[in-house]
Amino acid sequence: MAVSKKELEFNKNEDVMRLKISAMQKELDKIMEGGGKKRINKLHSKGKLTARERIDLLLDKNSNRFELGAFAGYEMYEEHGGCPAGGVVIVIGYVNGKQCIVVANDATVKAGAWFPITGKKNLRAQEISMENNLPIIYLVDSAGVYLPMQDEIFPDKEHFGRIFRNNAVMSSMGIVQIAAVMGSCVAGGAYLPIMSDESLIVNKTGTIFLAGSYLVKAAIGESIDNETLGGATTHTEISGVCDYKTENDEECIETIRDLIDKIGHPEFAGFDRKDPLPPKRNAKEIYGIMPSNRSKPYNVKDIIRCLVDDSKFTEYKSDFGKSIVCAYARIDGWSVGIVANQRDIVKNAKGEMQFGGVIYSDSADKSSRFIMNCNQKNIPLIFLQDVTGFMVGSRSEHGGIIKDGAKMVNAMANSVVPKFTIVTGNSYGAGNYAMCGKAYDPRLIVGWPTAEIAVMGGASAAKVLLQIEVASMKAKGEEITPERENELFESIKSKYDKQISPYYAASRLWLDAIIDPVETREVISLGIEMANHKKAEKKYNVGVIQT
């Protein structure tokens, strides 16, 4: 039986997606080793567990979890030896059935020292805790600020000191914070345990002090060892800094589990949930639906059917503003509102063809109203981003595309229901903003291996930059041959393509994670459960908005 062209295309897409996922997993496997096996063995020889081993022991067995920022620091700081996962492991998971966020320093990476991206990642964890009223557990094992880069991590607003400011603010908000000192906790970092609600320390391996023994000797001439200066006995029997002394990592983690078990339940936000139903379409069909050639069209409704319960959704204004699909559905039982860029080429009401992935005035107008409706009904919003931007040209400008685009951005930015963003493909220009990019406070933002984030696509950007470069060279009297021009174009495009990749975005925490598309339902469900711990602090109000 002959294979149709459509089936061949599906199989090709599937192969390309599987290769991308395999490449992603290979990189993740390297990241999971932290500073390498030699440093892991050294940690074990001291009777200590690694950050990931501690988290595995802390979280409930066989429960769902989401690691945030595994690619943080990816291909950054190579002149300093690299910083896998930003030197800190952060996971949203369950401790005795209660959802928590866990922050564990990786002592195999520069002794857990803080690089600039480490600070950014820690602040992201605290932001998630504050937005969702999630208990936060710090597993501390850090040498403090990485001194060769202290100017990039110490003094600014979003640097090291912001962590302790947040500790204080979170305490005033009633968010449970538990700190376990399982290794070094020095200098400014020493404030974290005492600014948490309760603190634990591991005997013989945990130490807390503002200055270690060498610095004390240099500063005031006092000779003292680190254990006497700031060990577990000192801080549980003399200073009273810590509340619990434990003999090893295992006992420390078991004590944390007991403490979390006794926490009272929050007042939930009231997001609607029913018994989950699996999609009728297998989620792995996404592999074949997403085109390997990003310029090719596809129907985003096929993607939605792979994600939502029973593959069923109710489309809002289905015959209007067709370049965005707005729909009510359920994901793992949770009621959601979906805003998705339509990548198929469609006709508008006037019979005019509209390009896939472009936001037109009518679709922006429709999305604005849908977002308002979801806020009215207390329904979380899911944005599926595959957008090249807003439509340009005289017809769009005269039709008020800027006004309609502003209306959509306003409605989305002021949303009080939680927003979750999945970058499935392109995320270009103002389309990134309107579809709830990182700047618009999605509770979680993740990308598929097919994601691209930039002002514009690589080829388009390279052409613009090439024109500027060539004009500059000609102004200096240089002769540009077609071969030289092509060489310049490829060089510019290669550099730009690296910057638009999901790895580049995830390394800088523009994305919280890169995920396999089949994990999308699980990530969204875990995110909504997290968001359900906290009611909106204000009523929905879009402010000044033009009609």
Side-chain angles (χ1 to χ4, degrees):
M1 185 176 173
V3 179
S4 69
K5 186 179 178 181
K6 189 176 180 180
E7 287 173 313
L8 283 172
E9 190 68 32
F10 185 95
N11 293 339
K12 181 185 174 185
N13 294 341
E14 186 177 38
D15 289 345
V16 170
M17 180 68 88
R18 287 185 184 278
L19 285 171
K20 284 181 181 288
I21 292 167
S22 176
M24 176 184 75
Q25 192 55 54
K26 202 172 286 185
E27 296 301 325
L28 278 173
D29 290 343
K30 288 183 207 170
I31 288 166
M32 299 295 172
E33 291 183 357
K37 291 180 180 176
K38 188 177 177 181
R39 287 176 182 166
I40 291 173
N41 291 337
K42 187 177 178 182
L43 210 64
H44 286 164
S45 70
K46 296 178 180 178
K48 295 165 70 175
L49 300 174
T50 67
R52 293 182 186 280
E53 288 168 342
R54 288 166 174 168
I55 291 173
D56 283 341
L57 202 59
L58 177 63
L59 297 181
D60 297 345
K61 297 289 179 286
N62 303 316
S63 61
N64 290 340
R65 63 182 66 179
F66 172 71
E67 181 170 348
L68 182 141
F71 280 103
Y74 179 75
E75 293 187 343
M76 295 169 70
Y77 315 119
E78 291 181 341
E79 68 276 22
H80 297 277
C83 187
V88 61
V89 184
I90 297 176
V91 176
I92 300 168
Y94 299 84
V95 178
N96 271 325
K98 292 185 172 71
Q99 201 175 36
C100 302
I101 186 161
V102 185
V103 180
N105 301 114
D106 187 348
T108 70
V109 180
K110 291 286 192 293
W114 287 51
F115 284 71
I117 197 67
T118 317
K120 188 173 183 179
K121 190 170 173 180
N122 274 269
L123 289 171
R124 177 66 176 135
Q126 290 183 321
E127 179 182 43
I128 288 171
S129 175
M130 286 188 278
E131 283 181 332
N132 303 286
N133 197 26
L134 273 192
I136 187 166
I137 301 165
Y138 306 99
L139 306 181
V140 184
D141 195 345
S142 171
V145 166
Y146 182 60
L147 290 177
M149 301 187 76
Q150 63 86 26
D151 61 321
E152 296 181 49
I153 179 61
F154 173 67
D156 209 347
K157 181 178 178 180
E158 299 295 330
H159 283 178
F160 193 62
R162 190 76 172 180
I163 303 293
F164 315 118
R165 174 266 185 194
N166 285 352
N167 286 143
V169 171
M170 291 161 74
S171 182
S172 73
M173 294 169 67
I175 295 170
V176 173
Q177 299 177 83
I178 293 174
V181 181
M182 309 179 81
S184 297
C185 183
V186 301
Y191 289 106
L192 188 142
I194 200 62
M195 295 189 79
S196 298
D197 299 323
E198 294 181 283
S199 60
L200 307 88
I201 188 168
V202 179
N203 196 25
K204 304 300 182 186
T205 56
T207 52
I208 310 172
F209 33 65
L210 294 180
S213 56
Y214 293 120
L215 189 54
V216 167
K217 176 69 174 174
I220 62 172
E222 181 184 2
S223 295
I224 188 170
D225 65 88
N226 282 340
E227 185 64 28
T228 306
L229 179 67
T233 300
T234 296
H235 284 310
T236 55
E237 296 181 19
I238 301 171
S239 73
V241 165
C242 290
D243 305 306
Y244 306 93
K245 176 182 173 181
T246 61
E247 288 305 312
N248 50 49
D249 283 8
E250 290 83 357
E251 184 186 339
C252 181
I253 286 165
E254 189 54 42
T255 305
I256 296 170
R257 287 182 55 81
D258 287 343
L259 294 172
I260 294 292
D261 182 53
K262 309 304 186 294
I263 295 173
H265 290 281
E267 185 180 2
F268 292 112
F271 304 130
D272 188 65
R273 192 179 196 186
K274 291 186 174 179
D275 291 336
L277 291 171
K280 285 181 179 175
R281 293 192 69 165
N282 191 322
K284 288 188 176 180
E285 287 187 48
I286 291 171
Y287 297 172
I289 295 168
M290 286 295 290
S292 55
N293 181 339
R294 297 300 303 117
S295 64
K296 287 192 174 181
Y298 66 92
N299 191 342
V300 76
K301 294 177 190 178
D302 292 331
I303 299 286
I304 293 171
R305 290 186 184 99
C306 294
L307 298 176
V308 302
D309 290 15
D310 204 30
S311 297
K312 182 181 176 183
F313 58 89
T314 304
E315 189 174 353
Y316 175 76
K317 290 184 182 285
S318 59
D319 296 321
F320 180 77
K322 292 183 180 180
S323 72
I324 289 183
V325 172
C326 296
Y328 298 108
R330 290 189 182 274
I331 291 181
D332 199 33
W334 294 103
S335 169
V336 297
I338 297 171
V339 181
N341 300 114
Q342 176 58 283
R343 285 304 306 265
D344 227 350
I345 297 171
V346 295
K347 286 184 179 180
N348 65 14
K350 298 175 183 176
E352 299 164 333
M353 301 305 292
Q354 293 187 336
F355 300 107
V358 178
I359 302 176
Y360 291 80
S361 283
D362 54 358
S363 52
D365 184 72
K366 175 176 79 171
S367 303
S368 303
R369 182 67 186 207
F370 181 74
I371 290 165
M372 294 178 197
N373 286 348
C374 287
N375 275 271
Q376 178 81 354
K377 299 174 182 178
N378 200 30
I379 298 173
L381 284 159
I382 314 298
F383 291 85
L384 301 181
Q385 272 200 21
D386 192 352
V387 58
T388 54
F390 284 88
M391 191 58 189
V392 296
S394 60
R395 179 177 294 180
S396 292
E397 297 293 2
H398 296 170
I401 185 67
I402 295 175
K403 178 189 69 176
D404 291 320
K407 188 192 302 182
M408 181 177 175
V409 171
N410 196 329
M412 178 275 302
N414 282 295
S415 178
V416 296
V417 296
K419 300 170 295 206
F420 300 89
T421 302
I422 319 295
V423 184
T424 64
N426 302 330
S427 179
Y428 296 160
N432 169 282
Y433 300 161
M435 292 294 294
C436 195
K438 177 72 172 178
Y440 292 85
D441 301 319
R443 298 294 176 97
L444 292 173
I445 177 169
V446 300
W448 291 353
T450 44
E452 293 185 354
I453 301 175
V455 172
M456 62 181 76
S460 300
K463 286 174 184 175
V464 173
L465 292 169
L466 178 65
Q467 288 172 11
I468 296 168
E469 182 74 12
V470 168
S472 174
M473 292 170 79
K474 284 181 177 177
K476 294 174 185 175
E478 295 183 41
E479 187 179 337
I480 310 298
T481 64
E483 292 77 17
R484 174 62 175 150
E485 191 169 319
N486 187 60
E487 185 183 311
L488 279 170
F489 174 81
E490 291 302 328
S491 173
I492 294 168
K493 186 176 182 300
S494 174
K495 182 180 178 182
Y496 198 88
D497 283 345
K498 182 179 180 181
Q499 292 180 353
I500 69 176
S501 81
Y503 297 100
Y504 193 90
S507 71
R508 289 152 179 81
L509 290 173
W510 304 343
L511 294 174
D512 290 321
I514 307 171
I515 64 168
D516 184 330
V518 301
E519 297 170 351
T520 305
R521 272 174 58 86
E522 185 180 309
V523 169
I524 291 171
S525 178
L526 179 143
I528 298 175
E529 182 178 349
M530 173 179 81
N532 199 36
H533 287 87
K534 186 177 180 181
K535 285 188 172 184
E537 293 176 346
K538 61 178 183 177
K539 290 184 178 180
Y540 185 56
N541 185 346
V542 295
V544 177
I545 187 165
Q546 294 188 41
T547 57

